[in-house]
Amino acid sequence: MGGGAAARSADGSPLQMPLWAPREASPGWHVRISRRARRLSMRVFPGGRVEVVVPPGVGIPAIERFVASHRDWAERRSREFALLAPHGHARRPEAIELALTGRRWHVEYHAGRRSSVRDAGEGVLHVHTAGTGDRQLSAALLRWLAGVATVELGARLDALAAELGIDYAKLHLRRQRTRWGSCSASGTISLNVCLMFQRPAVVRYLMIHELCHRRHLNHSDRYWRLVESFEPRWRALDAELLQGWRHVPAWVFPA
């Protein structure tokens, strides 16, 4: 990178990269350029990773000043969040609880030719694993989670869209580390399957947030007034959602 221009990919899409001053930056610091961002912001994730979110067009000097002014806070929070890094046993859970639905399952493991997950009823999941690797187990659990999320998130979004009188074209489910949801110009709403580990009120707010983008595909004052008309507590719920990553179990993002 050079000059005062902000870094971006060739097609202008959001770009994630290591912080450019390795001798000064702490390990695990990254910059992500987002077309949806209105201002510079900083997030700290479980495990201690620090992410600086930058709107397009912001120059490197401005980002460096922002990082310098928030470094002490971020490094302190990074040390605190490092304590939340998952232990090995968390990647092979004894139980799974979905805060959105209030359901909890005890997990029983069995050897099998293929990795699969079956709801045996009465709060028990039978997990058949073909190997001992974290990724195989994670993939099987994620397939199960995606099936549950398709039903639960789809039904809740449909009901809320009808309640608000705002339609959408289709729903995509994703597993992402930094974004809870999005809405495209074509009316496609994407939701993170990690929402299954958040409280119903928080998930409802996130859905309101994305549905309101069907009226205003930006974060203007008019957009936030519309959000507030549907959810007056949106500020508190938004703050809770920013901390929602600590509720996501380790097996969702295997190392």
Side-chain angles (χ1 to χ4, degrees), residues 151-173:
V151 175
E152 291 291 338
L153 294 177
R156 290 168 189 262
L157 184 62
D158 283 345
L160 188 59
E163 176 188 334
L164 273 52
I166 302 177
D167 64 355
Y168 68 97
K170 55 185 175 181
L171 170 64
H172 281 171
L173 294 182

Side-chain angles (χ1 to χ4, degrees), residues 201-212:
V202 174
V203 176
R204 183 179 188 276
Y205 157 67
L206 186 278
M207 290 181 174
I208 289 174
H209 185 110
E210 301 308 337
L211 285 168
C212 285

Side-chain angles (χ1 to χ4, degrees), residues 72-255:
D72 289 345
W73 172 85
E75 290 185 343
R76 184 175 65 254
R77 294 293 287 166
S78 180
R79 289 191 294 270
E80 295 171 357
F81 273 52
L83 300 176
L84 298 175
H87 299 287
H89 66 79
R91 300 190 185 280
R92 193 179 180 88
E94 296 180 357
I96 294 176
E97 184 169 357
L98 302 181
L100 179 60
T101 63
R103 295 191 64 188
R104 188 177 190 275
W105 291 266
H106 171 69
V107 182
E108 296 182 356
Y109 293 93
H110 309 273
R113 293 183 178 180
R114 294 186 301 175
S115 297
S116 63
V117 178
R118 181 174 65 86
D119 188 339
E122 298 184 353
V124 176
L125 282 183
H126 286 174
V127 179
H128 296 265
T129 57
T132 59
D134 288 345
R135 290 189 177 278
Q136 285 182 314
L137 174 58
S138 174
L141 290 173
L142 283 169
R143 287 193 295 271
W144 167 80
L145 179 65
V148 176
T150 297
V151 175
E152 291 291 338
L153 294 177
R156 290 168 189 262
L157 184 62
D158 283 345
L160 188 59
E163 176 188 334
L164 273 52
I166 302 177
D167 64 355
Y168 68 97
K170 55 185 175 181
L171 170 64
H172 281 171
L173 294 182
R174 303 179 185 276
R175 180 193 56 156
Q176 295 175 291
R177 291 179 181 269
T178 60
R179 178 174 290 186
W180 292 108
S182 64
C183 179
S184 72
S186 64
T188 296
I189 289 181
S190 296
L191 297 177
N192 195 325
V193 295
C194 296
L195 288 168
M196 296 300 299
F197 303 102
Q198 312 305 317
R199 294 194 306 117
V202 174
V203 176
R204 183 179 188 276
Y205 157 67
L206 186 278
M207 290 181 174
I208 289 174
H209 185 110
E210 301 308 337
L211 285 168
C212 285
H213 279 311
R214 294 286 291 132
R215 300 275 179 85
H216 306 287
L217 200 59
N218 52 45
H219 287 102
S220 63
D221 290 341
R222 287 196 304 170
Y223 166 80
W224 287 113
R225 285 196 296 270
L226 182 62
V227 171
E228 189 162 16
S229 71
F230 295 127
E231 179 47 82
R233 302 174 301 154
W234 72 266
R235 291 177 179 84
L237 293 168
D238 189 74
E240 183 176 343
L241 187 59
L242 285 175
Q243 302 298 320
W245 300 105
R246 66 179 62 194
H247 304 307
V248 179
W251 53 263
V252 175
F253 296 108

